[in-house]
Amino acid sequence: MDKQKEQAVSDIVELLIKEQDDERANEYENQLLGMLEEQDRNEIAEILAGRKLPSLLSDTIAKRVFSADSHRERLAYLLKNVIQDNSIEIEGSYANEGFMQSKDSKKIIFDEPAKLKDGRHSDTEFQISLQDFIFKRAELYASDMLMLSYSVEEGQRKSGISYSNTPGVLLVVLMKNSPREFKKFNETSERYIHRFTKRTADSGLSFDSMMTIVFVQLDECLKQFRENRNGEHDNNGNSLNELQVLLCLVADINDEKVLESAKDNNFMKDIIAEVKELSENKEVRAMLLAEKYAQADMNAVRSYERNEGREEGIVKGREEGIVKGREEGIKGMIETCQELGLNRNLTSARVSKKYFLDGKYTENLMQKYWKEA
């Protein structure tokens, strides 16, 4: 987006959030829709018109529907069944920022962090976009949580923390689009939930890791559901059919077959009803629009990066294209977050997570694009 268009979007989003008159609010929504590209406009228009429900993978929706504070039972059910650990009980949420060794460290921002009653930390990541380096990313996230577990909380003594009593951590990554490594694996296997719980040496010696990392291929799960099969079973060999329906609901809440299967399940009916209610909330609708702009902007940046690299065909040209495209995307994200009322620290953290920036570079961009009141 050019600067004038960005400013227009920011102004209209602000007016939409504050507007009390429904008719005028609809006018603002229509103005925002008119600024999106056709495909993005059609997708969000279906939601705003009530013909479709917003995705459970959307940050705006996921953090409400699976909240570790207001919907502990939902998050606990998801974690228990995906991880196959019936001991899981949710105590509540914790700070979504990871462990920082210095002010220049890169920030890790968790999607849905939760503290378990047995002391373990968990994080559930809702990945709507295809992620590169997913294994490295997951290990960094889990390692960061582990450092939090080993840290002293307020009121605790250092002597109370030791190697022997440090609880483990759980990371669940829900992927709408499976990376190529997973698709290759599915050529010979029907499994779509992958639980990493051990570390094994080349000698064969293994030990239980303190980091349990679970990857869930939502696209493969939905594909199997549509074909009336399920490659996942519990520890006793029973098919995880109810879990499959829930995961398909997360993958595509508008799929007719999924909705038909979920209609007689009160747990899932409540989720669908809340998503519908949220989609009618004026503030949530504004946040969904802003989120769609951020996604569209990210897609444009990636396209820009690819085109620059392809056209110039040299390393220097590609690097310049990436830098220019990324900074335009970061600028738009900072301005949108500020217009939505997010504070400076949270905006900085989200930008750092989205673009994998270190603390110093993020702060330079915040100083450049954050508008002080």
Side-chain angles (χ1 to χ4, degrees), residues 205-221:
L205 179 66
S206 67
F207 65 90
D208 291 330
S209 174
M210 295 181 70
M211 303 186 300
T212 293
I213 303 176
V214 183
F215 298 95
V216 182
Q217 296 175 255
L218 296 176
D219 49 355
E220 178 64 23
C221 175

Side-chain angles (χ1 to χ4, degrees), residues 256-323:
E256 291 183 6
K257 185 175 181 180
V258 175
L259 291 173
E260 179 65 24
S261 296
K263 71 177 184 180
D264 295 324
N265 183 299
N266 290 331
F267 178 79
M268 295 184 213
K269 280 171 62 178
D270 289 344
I271 290 176
I272 295 168
E274 183 174 358
V275 173
K276 179 173 174 49
E277 183 178 342
L278 286 169
S279 70
E280 296 169 352
N281 179 282
K282 179 168 63 68
E283 183 177 351
V284 170
R285 289 162 71 93
M287 293 178 71
L288 287 169
L289 271 166
E291 191 174 332
K292 174 57 74 175
Y293 271 101
Q295 290 171 4
D297 188 60
M298 176 62 76
N299 291 337
V301 170
R302 288 174 175 167
S303 177
Y304 182 89
E305 292 171 1
R306 287 194 300 269
N307 290 336
E308 284 294 303
R310 188 180 302 117
E311 290 171 5
E312 297 185 19
I314 56 175
V315 173
K316 181 180 178 181
R318 176 168 173 75
E319 289 178 347
E320 289 175 351
I322 290 173
V323 170

Side-chain angles (χ1 to χ4, degrees), residues 161-216:
I161 298 293
S162 68
Y163 297 137
S164 63
N165 65 9
T166 299
V169 299
L170 311 173
L171 175 67
V172 173
V173 184
L174 303 173
M175 306 178 295
K176 182 176 183 180
N177 297 292
S178 299
R180 60 179 178 273
E181 299 93 336
F182 293 88
K183 291 183 177 179
K184 181 71 175 176
F185 181 81
N186 289 138
E187 292 177 6
T188 56
S189 173
E190 287 190 322
R191 299 292 300 275
Y192 54 82
I193 300 178
H194 312 277
R195 305 176 184 92
F196 292 84
T197 60
K198 291 181 178 293
R199 291 189 178 271
T200 304
D202 57 358
S203 64
L205 179 66
S206 67
F207 65 90
D208 291 330
S209 174
M210 295 181 70
M211 303 186 300
T212 293
I213 303 176
V214 183
F215 298 95
V216 182

Side-chain angles (χ1 to χ4, degrees), residues 52-271:
K52 286 188 176 181
L53 295 174
S55 173
L56 280 165
L57 289 165
S58 157
D59 277 353
T60 305
I61 302 299
K63 290 179 180 179
R64 287 166 170 78
V65 172
F66 292 102
S67 167
D69 294 316
S70 57
H71 288 301
R72 296 176 188 175
E73 77 292 346
R74 291 178 185 168
L75 186 59
Y77 176 89
L78 180 65
L79 295 179
K80 280 182 181 180
N81 286 278
V82 165
I83 299 171
Q84 286 293 286
D85 181 352
N86 289 324
S87 70
I88 291 175
E89 291 185 72
I90 306 294
E91 182 178 291
S93 63
Y94 64 90
N96 69 338
E97 286 192 14
F99 186 80
M100 294 285 290
Q101 290 189 324
S102 75
K103 64 182 180 62
D104 293 326
S105 297
K106 282 191 174 184
K107 291 183 180 179
I108 285 180
I109 308 298
F110 305 120
D111 276 359
E112 191 51 60
K115 184 77 175 290
L116 308 189
K117 289 187 177 181
D118 61 11
R120 287 180 292 177
H121 288 78
S122 77
D123 175 39
T124 307
E125 292 288 310
F126 296 85
Q127 300 295 332
I128 199 167
S129 299
L130 181 65
Q131 296 291 332
D132 295 325
F133 311 109
I134 191 68
F135 294 116
K136 291 182 178 180
R137 180 183 177 124
E139 285 203 311
L140 286 169
Y141 273 55
S143 297
D144 220 58
M145 277 196 290
L146 198 56
M147 287 303 300
L148 286 172
S149 293
Y150 189 61
S151 302
V152 177
E153 295 182 1
E154 187 175 353
Q156 273 187 311
R157 293 185 176 182
K158 290 183 180 180
S159 58
I161 298 293
S162 68
Y163 297 137
S164 63
N165 65 9
T166 299
V169 299
L170 311 173
L171 175 67
V172 173
V173 184
L174 303 173
M175 306 178 295
K176 182 176 183 180
N177 297 292
S178 299
R180 60 179 178 273
E181 299 93 336
F182 293 88
K183 291 183 177 179
K184 181 71 175 176
F185 181 81
N186 289 138
E187 292 177 6
T188 56
S189 173
E190 287 190 322
R191 299 292 300 275
Y192 54 82
I193 300 178
H194 312 277
R195 305 176 184 92
F196 292 84
T197 60
K198 291 181 178 293
R199 291 189 178 271
T200 304
D202 57 358
S203 64
L205 179 66
S206 67
F207 65 90
D208 291 330
S209 174
M210 295 181 70
M211 303 186 300
T212 293
I213 303 176
V214 183
F215 298 95
V216 182
Q217 296 175 255
L218 296 176
D219 49 355
E220 178 64 23
C221 175
L222 183 58
K223 175 186 175 184
Q224 292 186 24
F225 176 78
R226 288 170 174 166
E227 296 172 355
N228 298 314
R229 56 191 177 94
N230 187 3
E232 291 297 333
H233 302 80
D234 63 18
N235 295 328
N236 297 316
N238 302 309
S239 291
L240 294 168
N241 293 329
E242 187 173 87
L243 175 62
Q244 185 185 40
V245 176
L246 177 60
L247 293 175
C248 287
L249 200 65
V250 175
D252 187 355
I253 196 172
N254 295 292
D255 185 279
E256 291 183 6
K257 185 175 181 180
V258 175
L259 291 173
E260 179 65 24
S261 296
K263 71 177 184 180
D264 295 324
N265 183 299
N266 290 331
F267 178 79
M268 295 184 213
K269 280 171 62 178
D270 289 344
I271 290 176

